[in-house]
């Protein structure tokens, strides 16, 4: 786990611009933008029809039901104009986080391997979910420790991560499984995988929602209170710190 930046670095953090993309049907863009601001950065709204990323330093693809998931979750968004710029930038090292529907979009855009299908029980699920941090070396997880257990909300219908055995073996061998479900596997994802990264570690996708556990009183249940959990904030402090240190 990387030590968080000192409060004296607040000015440097505030200069970091994190883009949050809104597609038709996106639900959690404002939550993601608030998480960026609470972490100390500047949130920049990006529209699906934008031709470029407006000079941001990182990008979040938030959750929701982009284009209504009418064809397949994330499949239409993959062809949105903003994605052409995003794919090129991600391959060049831009930190990108895909949350839930954003994770689905990243697989459709081939920035991450595998695919997302309906939960094995075929029901929408919403619950607080414990995750094990398997990789604390990505741009989005450096403020966590390997093996740490965190609790953030999970809400999805098409949350089952699938891939062939060869791909799964590669992800395991290369340390690219970033999060795993702790205890019960809520959607049947192969090997209990909740989140993965690309080989460089700048692109991360996961099904649970860290942006919903960033502020006491509005987070998950914890020892401090029923809604006091803020385990998701580390995603956003991690990327801001990574960019400032770079």
């Amino acid at each position: 786990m990387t030590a968080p930046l000192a409060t004296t670095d607040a000015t440097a953090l505030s200069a970091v611009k994190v883009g949050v993309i809104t597609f038709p049907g996106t639900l959690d863009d404002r939550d993601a933008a608030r998480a960026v601001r609470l972490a100390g950065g500047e949130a920049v709204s990006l529209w699906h029809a934008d031709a470029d990323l407006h000079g941001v330093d990182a990008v979040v693809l938030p959750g929701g039901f982009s284009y209504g998931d009418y064809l397949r979750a994330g499949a239409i968004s993959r062809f949105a104009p903003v994605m052409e710029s995003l794919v090129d930038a991600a391959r060049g090292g831009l930190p990108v986080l895909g949350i839930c529907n954003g994770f689905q979009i990243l697989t459709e855009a081939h920035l991450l391997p595998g695919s997302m299908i309906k939960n094995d029980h075929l029901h929408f699920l919403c619950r607080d979910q414990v995750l094990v941090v398997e990789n604390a070396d990505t741009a989005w997880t450096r403020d966590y420790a390997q093996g740490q257990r965190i609790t953030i909300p999970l809400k999805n219908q098409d949350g089952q991560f699938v891939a062939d055995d060869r791909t799964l073996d590669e992800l395991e061998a290369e340390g690219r499984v970033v999060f795993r479900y702790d205890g019960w596997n809520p959607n049947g994802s192969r090997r209990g995988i909740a989140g993965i990264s690309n080989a460089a570690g700048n692109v991360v996708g996961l099904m649970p929602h860290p942006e919903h556990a960033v502020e006491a009183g509005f987070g998950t249940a914890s020892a401090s209170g029923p809604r006091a959990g803020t385990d998701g904030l580390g995603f956003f402090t991690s990327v801001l710190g990574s960019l400032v240190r770079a």
Side-chain angles (χ1 to χ4, degrees), residues 83-165:
M83 288 301 296
E84 183 175 350
S85 297
L86 179 67
V87 169
D88 289 342
R91 289 174 177 163
L94 183 80
V96 177
L97 177 66
I99 302 170
C100 197
N101 190 231
F103 184 12
Q104 295 161 343
I105 295 169
L106 291 178
T107 63
E108 292 288 342
H110 305 299
L111 286 173
L112 293 175
S115 187
M116 312 301 301
I117 63 174
K118 290 192 180 300
N119 298 339
D120 58 354
H121 45 74
L122 302 180
H123 295 289
F124 179 85
L125 180 68
C126 183
R127 68 191 298 262
D128 287 354
Q129 178 65 48
V130 180
L131 304 177
V132 178
V133 180
E134 298 282 355
N135 184 343
D137 291 325
T138 77
W140 298 92
T141 58
R142 288 173 181 162
D143 284 352
Y144 298 108
Q146 185 172 351
Q148 181 178 350
R149 282 165 171 76
I150 63 174
T151 303
I152 60 178
L154 173 72
K155 49 172 187 170
N156 62 70
Q157 178 173 285
D158 297 86
Q160 183 179 176
F161 174 73
V162 296
D164 58 43
D165 285 338

Side-chain angles (χ1 to χ4, degrees), residues 157-207:
Q157 178 173 285
D158 297 86
Q160 183 179 176
F161 174 73
V162 296
D164 58 43
D165 285 338
R166 178 179 177 181
T167 299
L168 293 169
D169 289 342
E170 288 178 354
L171 290 172
E172 301 273 14
E174 296 172 7
R176 293 168 57 192
V177 176
V178 183
F179 298 98
R180 223 181 289 268
Y181 296 112
D182 188 39
W184 178 53
N185 185 333
N187 45 37
S189 291
R190 300 299 184 267
R191 304 189 188 181
I193 293 173
I196 61 174
S197 75
N198 65 343
N202 62 300
V203 179
V204 170
L206 78 163
M207 285 311 297

